[in-house]
Amino acid sequence: MGGAAWRGGDRINDRLVSLLAENAASGRPCALATVVRTESPTSAHPGDKAVITADGELHGWVGGSCSDALVRREALVAMSDGLPRLVRIRPDVEALETRVGGELTVATTCPSGGTLDIFIDPHLPKPLLVVIGESPAARTLIELGRVVGYRTCGVHPGAHRADFSAADRVLDSLDLGALADEKDCWVVVATMGHYDDDAVQAALTLPAADVALVASVRRSASVVDTLRSRGVPEAQLARVRAPAGQRRAGAQEEIALHALAEVVALRHEHMTANPVAPPVALAGFAVDPVCGMTVDTTSATHTATHDDETYFFCCAGCREQFLADPARFLRATAG
């Protein structure tokens, strides 16, 4: 019996590992939740795990209804701010949420009475480096990008997978629509005089991408003039960073190194200038004013309206207590 249960646990863990890998490969954020401590009664055990995907779905097990929605909510916040957190659920005589640093303590009057500590670790996608061209500089950029922790995509019309063996992904045309949803995206055009104009214009179709052109000052100006004559708006042309990697022109490999160094520095500057906002309440979740547990409002079956405001409850019992004395529980919530 014990051996079978252990093997079943292994299968679940293998599934979660695969899910983490799939999200990493596709550039989608997710979070891994792990139960680190329990006190009975609780259906969870230390080591239980779940992966929460960007759509808020929980895959795995970290406890029942008392923890499910709360973990999903906090996982979504973790995906937003990129910070891990420890969620503590403990029984008390009064419902209260307290957040201090990276710890959230939820005191609940839930009759189950168990204690549960869950660590939530966000798994955010690596930044994407898109390199257009088949030059030695382009191939070096892909190799170096992978070393410093970027996902990499090689782009060249007619390219084969073997042409960019170090790349995570290869596109054989300048249709970059498959990358349109990438948020942390950095494009370097290293075509070295071959279809520079078309490559830069294609890169500008990615709305969130930083676009750099490896070219001389004179060649860069010519490319911009050509795109202007094609009707590309000035606001778009202003996004082109050129010349890139040419501070000390040298071998193709040196040019690639300088171009990537500029990308890394600019990305760090962007992250410093755009700090993540502090956690806020997420749409789709509410706190039960009676027991203090988090409720998924999209699937809640127990609700009540008081003073034109809707409240959500984890069970019929909490709803009945609220309706009997709303002021009591609203005072507790306000405090």
Side-chain angles (χ1 to χ4, degrees):
M1 178 76 73
W6 177 258
R7 287 193 298 272
D10 283 348
R11 284 197 298 272
I12 292 175
N13 288 336
D14 288 345
R15 180 168 61 87
L16 297 185
V17 169
S18 296
L19 188 55
L20 289 172
E22 289 169 9
N23 279 272
S26 61
R28 295 190 301 265
C30 63
L32 176 65
T34 304
V35 177
V36 295
R37 177 178 173 271
T38 64
E39 288 184 14
S40 296
T42 175
S43 60
H45 300 86
D48 285 347
K49 294 178 175 61
V51 170
I52 300 88
T53 48
D55 57 5
E57 290 293 320
L58 186 147
H59 307 264
W61 180 258
V62 287
S65 60
C66 288
S67 59
D68 184 284
L70 174 63
V71 168
R72 289 167 51 219
R73 185 193 76 184
E74 289 302 303
L76 289 171
V77 177
M79 287 180 230
S80 175
D81 64 21
L83 300 175
R85 62 207 64 225
L86 181 65
V87 176
R88 302 181 183 274
I89 303 173
R90 60 180 177 83
D92 208 330
V93 295
E94 184 176 328
L96 183 67
E97 278 194 13
T98 306
R99 193 184 298 272
V100 179
E103 291 190 9
L104 171 67
T105 300
V106 178
T108 172
T109 63
C110 181
S112 61
T115 295
L116 200 57
D117 290 355
I118 303 170
F119 182 71
I120 300 175
D121 185 21
H123 287 234
L124 304 182
K126 297 177 182 178
L128 177 65
L129 176 66
V130 181
V131 181
I132 305 179
E134 62 169 350
S135 63
R139 291 190 174 88
T140 303
L141 271 163
I142 288 174
E143 293 170 0
L144 293 176
R146 188 170 187 176
V147 170
V148 299
Y150 284 65
R151 289 179 293 134
T152 56
C153 178
V155 181
H156 177 63
H160 299 284
R161 187 69 186 84
D163 295 334
F164 298 99
S165 58
D168 297 305
R169 185 173 188 174
V170 174
L171 298 181
D172 61 3
S173 77
L174 292 179
D175 180 1
L176 306 183
L179 308 178
D181 293 332
E182 293 284 349
K183 304 301 182 186
D184 194 357
C185 183
W186 303 80
V187 181
V188 179
V189 176
T191 42
M192 302 304 181
H194 299 284
Y195 66 92
D196 294 353
D197 312 326
D198 294 337
V200 172
Q201 189 168 4
L204 289 173
T205 64
L206 300 178
D210 174 271
V211 179
L213 171 62
V214 177
S216 66
V217 173
R218 183 174 180 179
R219 178 61 183 165
S220 299
S222 175
V223 169
V224 171
D225 286 342
T226 298
L227 296 183
R228 183 178 289 115
S229 70
R230 292 180 181 179
V232 177
E234 290 297 327
Q236 291 286 75
L237 295 176
R239 293 173 51 204
V240 180
R241 196 162 43 79
Q246 298 281 0
R247 287 176 296 174
R248 294 183 297 275
Q252 288 274 297
E253 291 76 12
E254 291 180 354
I255 292 173
L257 177 61
H258 289 309
L260 183 60
E262 291 171 6
V263 166
V264 172
L266 285 170
R267 182 170 182 270
H268 281 292
E269 288 178 13
H270 175 78
M271 293 172 66
T272 302
N274 299 277
V276 178
V280 295
L282 292 175
F285 295 95
V287 175
D288 184 325
V290 175
C291 71
M293 293 313 303
T294 300
V295 181
D296 184 339
T297 61
T298 63
S299 59
T301 57
H302 306 287
T303 65
T305 302
H306 177 74
D307 287 343
D308 296 326
E309 186 168 349
T310 301
Y311 296 89
F312 299 84
F313 307 91
C314 69
C315 64
C318 285
R319 179 179 182 275
E320 291 170 5
Q321 289 186 60
F322 178 83
L323 292 175
D325 190 0
R328 169 193 168 193
F329 297 107
L330 295 180
R331 279 197 304 271
T333 301

